[in-house]
Amino acid sequence: MKYFGTDGVRAVAGEFPLVQEFVEKLGYAAGLFAVKNNKNLKKKVLVAEDSRASGPMLMSYLAKGLNAAGFTVVSVGIAPTPAVSCLVQKLGFDFGAVISASHNPAEFNGIKFFDYDGKKMNEKEEEEIEIILDSITTRPSSDGEFIYDETLMLDYQNFLVNTVPQNLFKGVKIVLDCANGATSKIAPRVFEALGADLVVLANKPNGKNINDNVGALHTETMQKEVVLNGAFCGFSFDGDGDRVIASDEKGRQLDGDHIISASAVELKKAGKLKSGKIVLTIMANLGMINFLKANGIETILTGVGDKYVSEALEKDNLTIGGETSGHIIFNEISPTGDGILAALQIAASALESRKKMSVFHDLWSKYPSVLSAVKVSQKVPLEEIDGFNDLTKELEENFKGKGRIIVRYSGTEPKLRILVEGEDKDLVSSVAFKLETHFKERVK
């Protein structure tokens, strides 16, 4: 697509496409799309942002475009992305929009849309918005209100609290790392409402410190605090709260694969895992996939991006799916990845079964893997890089069926991602180094 990536439109704020003219047109185009495709419009759209300094500026641009399409814009302020998904469907908004760049550094931002069912707009819908946007030559003056109503977040808080038994968390010590992002207020409120004994980290956003050595990509501090405080577990959310990475009581990290696999096993035991299948992306660890297979759980693999996981879950009416990165969808509760929800579910699962979180960590062993992220100035098609695809094929054959290589450009950042995985740690490291070196020597 021309403007949308794997998770909305994303760039450095103030650089194209996140400039005033484009963002106003994007809001206007999204409004026209909704008018065209929804016959029961209330002409109300719900919006939220994460804690980046550029959020209010982009919100004003987006709201102006939405107003021009005749929509009243209702903002809940700084709030997790999944809050918009939840409240759009719960309160009957026509659609939702979130201004966020998720796990990316503070200078980035982005815009993503949810339909009236609370689902991320799919590629077909995004393509239609792009077509409408490119056809716009003039826009009417703004004709709509902008309403700020943070009190709506109480509905989201109550929704989350009611997904677990009410007395289960009473007195349980839990460490929360809010990434100085969108969960900074709401995550502690949810766990406090359930009676948890909290240690809260990175909950003081200043516009510039979102994801800055904290959150789902930087869980080391959270893990150490779990051990220091003798906590049952800990959770690190990303900047917009749609991801979560956990720690067991020993300070060991549980990524999305750990959380999904443990949840799937517990759901199967309870007879709640539909069709005995779950949805993962191609980045899921082979150790996890083999463990699930041995336990009678089939895996369906999709491309990277939680919207692809969501589409696969919906297509086959399945229960759970997600990504190694911590996007986890409990499909019978929410149609999108929700870090707080996933944290509640995995902690409740451990507490109800009277298990320590370390039991979930030790269910299976990871295959050794190396994930490289190479910064690029342009995304040159891999087939156009001299000898790269041939080298990849040759190196993958060295694993003799006990390893794999996945190479792809990020859909949200200017980076090439190289994942190498296999039983032999030294071979994995060697293959990753050769591929990265080959790429860097030929793409400047």
Side-chain angles (χ1 to χ4, degrees), residues 127-145:
E127 285 175 357
E128 189 170 343
I129 291 174
E130 286 188 354
I131 292 169
I132 294 171
L133 191 155
D134 283 338
S135 70
I136 294 170
T137 55
T138 61
R139 298 191 303 277
S141 58
S142 296
D143 181 25
E145 294 181 273

Side-chain angles (χ1 to χ4, degrees), residues 17 50 60 89 92 97 112 119 124 182 235 285 298 378 414-415 438:
D50 67 21
S60 68
Q89 54 181 324
K112 47 191 167 186
K119 298 172 184 173
K124 183 178 179 182
F235 298 106
N285 191 272
E298 184 180 340
Q378 55 180 327
K415 292 180 179 179
H438 186 97

Side-chain angles (χ1 to χ4, degrees), residues 49-210:
E49 61 193 275
D50 67 21
S51 59
R52 295 163 206 271
S54 59
M57 173 187 72
L58 294 173
M59 180 65 77
S60 68
Y61 300 160
L62 185 69
K64 188 174 180 180
L66 291 166
N67 285 160
F71 283 81
T72 295
V73 178
V74 180
S75 172
V76 290
I78 294 175
T81 289
V84 171
S85 168
C86 170
L87 295 174
V88 162
Q89 54 181 324
K90 185 178 180 66
L91 302 179
F93 286 88
D94 296 317
F95 66 102
V98 179
I99 295 174
S100 171
S102 189
H103 61 284
N104 294 155
E107 63 269 23
F108 286 83
N109 218 322
I111 301 168
K112 47 191 167 186
F113 295 103
F114 290 83
D115 66 20
Y116 58 86
D117 282 331
K119 298 172 184 173
K120 281 186 180 177
M121 290 196 180
N122 59 41
E123 288 186 353
K124 183 178 179 182
E125 292 168 324
E126 289 173 339
E127 285 175 357
E128 189 170 343
I129 291 174
E130 286 188 354
I131 292 169
I132 294 171
L133 191 155
D134 283 338
S135 70
I136 294 170
T137 55
T138 61
R139 298 191 303 277
S141 58
S142 296
D143 181 25
E145 294 181 273
F146 183 90
I147 300 169
Y148 183 83
D149 190 356
E150 193 180 37
T151 65
L152 297 180
M153 288 297 289
L154 184 60
D155 286 301
Y156 178 57
Q157 178 179 322
N158 290 337
F159 156 74
L160 290 169
V161 167
N162 288 324
T163 65
V164 293
Q166 296 306 289
N167 295 316
L168 193 59
F169 287 78
K170 192 171 183 179
V172 178
K173 183 164 283 188
I174 295 174
V175 177
L176 299 181
D177 166 9
C178 300
N180 292 315
T183 62
S184 293
K185 287 184 180 180
I186 186 67
R189 287 177 181 171
V190 168
F191 281 87
E192 285 169 355
L194 289 163
D197 179 10
L198 295 182
V199 176
V200 184
L201 313 173
N203 65 329
K204 296 177 174 60
N206 61 18
K208 298 179 181 179
N209 61 356
I210 187 172

